[in-house]
């Protein structure tokens, strides 16, 4: 009923654009679609422009990601030509029901001296710089499968407490698996960084184009190098417990247009 009223209201504003209502949770990536008589529209939401592709017959599909900490509430997605709005859709962003995760680690992994703090800050800065690198576009915005077989040990968004102290929310998912388990790339991409970080351990960052970047941390071994193009399904390394880890697991994080998104929301079962 609510949706019906909304459609009528929008129809009165701007014929022939038809608004669709989407509901998503913090950290979700959603697929949006519309019909437009335009050859090169752009898609805008959360103050950013988002990738889209033609499905033929005037149909367009786009992808939008809500950051883990985006403010819950109502947003508008606008399909534009230049600054002209061609169609608008409604997004209702719900607060994520994120659980609490407590870990206990050695003191040197929770309390840092000045030199270690400087190292951590330098490493985080270098990692963040990769999130906005431009990579040749891959036609897909999907992760074809989980990069390693195993159970999710810490879900996305969990509020972290390390030795009792509140830390940043968990910006990826942790998948527990035996040390040495192969990590296979769930979507083709270019290696943006191979590094060994104090907290994240051995880490690989892959750019997939369209603003999609994935991060793999705490690896035992990395077997790709910067600049390489890796195909979907190729092994990039193996599961380990390097950096701050309580046991062997893969930390898998995804940034989409620099928003911290839930990798699980890009898996095929969550995308129609
Ligand atoms: Zn993690």
């Amino acid at each position: 009923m609510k949706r019906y009223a909304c459609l009528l209201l929008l129809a009165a504003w701007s014929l022939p654009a038809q608004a669709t209502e989407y509901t998503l949770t913090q950290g979700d990536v959603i697929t949006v679609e519309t019909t437009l008589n335009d050859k090169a529209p752009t898609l805008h939401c959360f103050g950013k422009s988002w990738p889209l592709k033609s499905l033929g017959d005037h149909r367009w599909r786009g992808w939008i990601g809500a950051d883990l900490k985006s403010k819950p509430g109502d947003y508008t997605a606008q399909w534009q030509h230049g600054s002209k709005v061609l169609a608008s859709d409604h997004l209702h962003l719900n607060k994520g029901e994120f659980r609490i995760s407590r870990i206990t680690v050695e003191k040197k992994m929770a309390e840092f001296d000045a030199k270690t703090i400087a190292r951590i800050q330098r490493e985080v800065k270098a990692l963040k710089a990769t999130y906005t690198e431009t990579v040749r576009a891959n036609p897909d915005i999907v992760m074809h499968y989980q990069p390693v077989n195993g159970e999710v040990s810490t879900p996305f968004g969990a509020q972290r407490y390390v030795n009792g102290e509140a830390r940043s929310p968990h910006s990826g998912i942790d998948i527990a698996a035996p040390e040495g388990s192969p990590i296979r790339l769930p979507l083709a991409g270019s290696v943006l960084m191979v590094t060994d970080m104090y907290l994240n351990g051995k880490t690989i960052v892959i750019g997939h184009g369209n603003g999609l970047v994935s991060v793999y941390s705490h690896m035992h071994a990395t077997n790709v190098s910067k600049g390489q193009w890796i195909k979907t399904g190729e092994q990039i390394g193996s599961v380990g417990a390097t950096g701050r880890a309580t046991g062997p697991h893969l930390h898998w994080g995804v940034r989409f247009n620099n928003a911290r998104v839930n990798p699980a929301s890009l898996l095929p079962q969550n995308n129609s």
Side-chain angles (χ1 to χ4, degrees):
M1 213 46 202
K2 198 174 152 202
R3 176 169 166 160
Y4 184 59
C6 177
L7 286 177
L8 282 181
L9 188 66
L10 247 110
W13 283 350
S14 57
L15 282 167
Q18 265 202 345
T20 308
E21 229 178 89
Y22 298 91
T23 300
L24 70 167
T25 299
Q26 289 170 316
D28 279 353
V29 175
I30 58 160
T31 303
V32 294
E33 284 188 17
T34 196
T35 303
L36 294 172
N37 286 314
D38 193 272
K39 287 198 164 46
T42 54
L43 175 63
H44 306 264
C45 191
F46 301 126
K48 297 175 179 179
S49 60
W50 298 91
L52 71 171
K53 73 172 184 184
S54 168
L55 301 176
D57 206 19
H58 307 290
R59 292 292 297 166
W60 291 87
R61 176 178 294 165
W63 292 265
I64 295 170
D67 184 78
L68 168 60
K69 285 289 179 189
S70 288
K71 197 167 174 269
D74 292 307
Y75 293 88
T76 304
Q78 292 183 317
W79 302 84
Q80 293 179 201
H81 184 100
S83 57
K84 185 174 175 238
V85 177
L86 306 169
S88 295
D89 291 322
H90 300 298
L91 268 63
H92 183 73
L93 178 65
N94 289 324
K95 188 165 166 42
E97 305 240 328
F98 302 130
R99 71 162 223 214
I100 286 175
S101 154
R102 293 177 193 278
I103 59 167
T104 307
V105 295
E106 294 174 76
K107 205 172 166 193
K108 71 164 188 170
M109 284 300 178
E111 293 167 38
F112 315 117
D113 58 25
K115 197 172 153 222
T116 308
I117 290 171
R119 175 180 167 187
I120 293 169
Q121 285 173 341
R122 202 166 56 240
E123 290 171 346
V124 168
K125 194 176 167 195
L127 181 64
K128 283 188 172 168
T130 66
Y131 299 152
T132 50
E133 276 191 44
T134 312
V135 174
R136 82 168 143 111
N138 202 326
D140 290 320
I141 303 216
V142 61
M143 292 291 165
H144 293 284
Y145 41 79
Q146 218 175 254
V148 67
N149 293 325
E151 292 291 311
V152 172
S153 52
T154 307
F156 178 80
Q159 175 55 56
R160 271 277 157 91
Y161 287 83
V162 177
N163 295 2
E165 297 276 327
R167 295 294 163 86
S168 308
H170 196 223
S171 62
I173 60 178
D174 288 347
I175 305 161
E179 182 163 295
S181 302
I183 297 166
R184 297 188 192 283
L185 196 64
L187 178 64
S190 175
V191 180
L192 298 178
M193 183 186 254
V194 181
T195 184
D196 192 355
M197 302 172 69
Y198 187 80
L199 293 175
N200 299 17
K202 290 185 181 170
T203 296
I204 294 177
V205 183
I206 307 280
H208 306 279
N210 290 311
L212 195 65
V213 174
S214 59
V215 181
Y216 307 81
S217 293
H218 307 298
M219 296 169 76
H220 175 69
T222 55
N223 48 19
V224 294
S225 40
K226 191 178 170 180
Q228 247 185 297
W229 179 263
I230 312 292
K231 292 190 201 124
T232 303
E234 275 189 78
Q235 186 176 344
I236 56 169
S238 59
V239 172
T242 55
R244 184 168 68 193
T246 54
H249 74 281
L250 173 68
H251 171 95
W252 181 30
V254 173
R255 300 274 165 151
F256 185 29
N257 243 345
N258 212 6
R260 294 162 293 179
V261 299
N262 186 350
S265 75
L266 285 157
L267 289 169
Q269 62 266 36
N270 297 321
N271 281 281
S272 48

